[in-house]
Amino acid sequence: MLDDGRHLPSKSVMFTVDDGFFDHHDVAARVFGEFGFTLNFFLITGFLDLKLWPWDDQVAYALHRAQPSKVQIKMPSGAIFPLDLLNNEINDVVYSLRSRLKKESQSELYDWLETELYPVLKVECPDEIPPEYKPMSWDNARTLRDLGHGVFPHTCTHRILSTLPIEQRQTEIEVSIKRVAAELRYAPEIFAYPTGRLSDYDEVDVEHLGKHGIKMAFNTVPGYVRAGQNCFELPRFSLPCDSDDFRQIVNGFEAFKMKLRGLAKPAA
Ligand SMILES: [Zn+2]
């Protein structure tokens, strides 16, 4: 429909689930399946390959296990970032460290976790992915696709593309597409950018996705998909916890609210 410049039927909804955790297969697919909905899964392929688990979850894991104290963390850029686990809520500290890491070069991020974050916090770096953070298996992914769900790539390591040198970005895109193609024996045409803010990818990535057969890509900017939309910048609402909020998104009331908020903004 987007290719033809047509409007999507009103109340069209597509559900997407990013990253590929085990409970996306064990729980989400089952619950949505009971109501006859298909889901679209975006998988971190290095996670399903058991080579790593997502860096943002590792930050939370390590901070939740650290002794309450004040520590100085040396960021990948060399800058010192103070963490106060004595006087702050742990979730606030997790949020601030993750936000800071999103601004850093993420090229060596997984090494940095092992050589800096875990040691400074005096938390043992787990040899294996902890059970609560396990991925689904490739067999699970194949089952999902057999059941009619969509299964697509979401990079190999979940690092933010725009923070990486060009060759690494290309590898993230190319290898994750190839891993999904090899395991599921089909050519995926849809992709989702890790973190997905407008600053997290650029036209270099879009061009590279196109070269490898991708026709649509999702970011995480909240919004509706409309006729004429750039297919490589499809917005998504995050699923609200409250079903009233969900209804407001689906019935279009949220569009009205967004318009009002736009009107309320002073002209730049
Ligand atoms: Zn993700």
Side-chain angles (χ1 to χ4, degrees):
M1 285 179 156
L2 287 173
D3 279 348
D4 298 342
R6 283 155 65 197
H7 287 283
L8 305 183
S10 77
K11 299 185 187 175
S12 299
V13 179
M14 176 179 174
F15 291 107
T16 65
V17 186
D18 289 9
D19 299 348
F21 286 94
F22 71 97
D23 50 355
H24 297 172
H25 166 272
D26 295 358
V27 182
R30 183 172 49 75
V31 172
F32 277 73
E34 270 175 35
F35 292 91
F37 288 110
T38 52
L39 293 170
N40 293 281
F41 296 92
F42 291 94
L43 308 179
I44 304 167
T45 59
F47 184 30
L48 270 76
D49 286 335
L50 302 175
K51 288 181 179 159
L52 55 92
W53 49 297
W55 65 269
D56 33 347
D57 289 309
Q58 296 203 44
V59 167
Y61 174 93
L63 286 172
H64 277 280
R65 278 157 187 78
Q67 291 300 322
S69 60
K70 290 186 182 186
V71 290
Q72 305 276 336
I73 303 253
K74 193 173 175 194
M75 302 303 284
S77 61
I80 300 298
F81 190 70
L83 287 182
D84 182 351
L85 294 158
L86 274 177
N87 301 303
N88 292 307
E89 284 290 330
I90 186 72
N91 288 331
D92 294 340
V93 181
V94 171
Y95 178 83
S96 78
L97 183 55
R98 280 178 177 170
S99 305
R100 176 57 197 251
L101 284 167
K102 287 177 185 174
K103 295 182 186 137
E104 293 271 329
S105 162
Q106 296 198 336
S107 190
E108 309 297 330
L109 185 54
Y110 284 93
D111 287 338
W112 177 86
L113 292 170
E114 269 184 46
T115 58
E116 177 70 17
L117 186 68
Y118 287 108
V120 169
L121 295 175
K122 299 192 175 67
V123 173
E124 201 179 323
C125 176
D127 294 333
E128 271 189 30
I129 302 174
E132 65 272 36
Y133 293 102
K134 289 255 195 252
M136 66 173 77
S137 65
W138 284 111
D139 264 339
N140 291 159
R142 281 185 281 272
T143 306
L144 290 173
R145 201 168 132 79
D146 290 344
L147 289 170
H149 300 289
V151 180
F152 309 104
H154 185 43
T155 72
C156 305
T157 70
H158 212 244
R159 290 175 299 171
I160 296 172
L161 292 170
S162 61
T163 73
L164 301 177
I166 297 285
E167 322 78 67
Q168 286 187 21
R169 294 180 184 202
Q170 295 190 340
T171 306
E172 289 284 341
I173 289 172
E174 212 173 309
V175 174
S176 64
I177 294 171
K178 285 187 174 155
R179 284 300 293 131
V180 169
E183 291 288 347
L184 293 138
R185 292 178 292 275
Y186 89 108
E189 295 186 342
I190 312 182
F191 183 86
Y193 305 101
T195 325
R197 300 164 304 171
L198 288 179
S199 57
D200 295 338
Y201 60 92
D202 62 27
E203 62 283 358
V204 174
D205 305 311
V206 170
E207 197 189 316
H208 208 67
L209 287 168
K211 256 187 218 160
H212 289 277
I214 297 294
K215 303 218 162 69
M216 301 166 86
F218 287 91
N219 60 31
T220 57
V221 177
Y224 295 91
V225 173
R226 300 188 185 283
Q229 191 97 41
N230 179 342
C231 282
F232 285 89
E233 303 216 62
L234 298 175
R236 294 187 279 181
F237 289 101
S238 55
L239 189 64
C241 298
D242 184 315
S243 53
D244 283 337
D245 292 342
F246 175 67
R247 272 185 218 108
Q248 286 199 10
I249 292 172
V250 178
N251 67 21
F253 191 72
E254 188 60 31
F256 174 69
K257 281 167 62 186
M258 288 170 95
K259 210 169 210 172
L260 277 186
R261 273 182 231 129
L263 288 175
K265 261 189 218 151

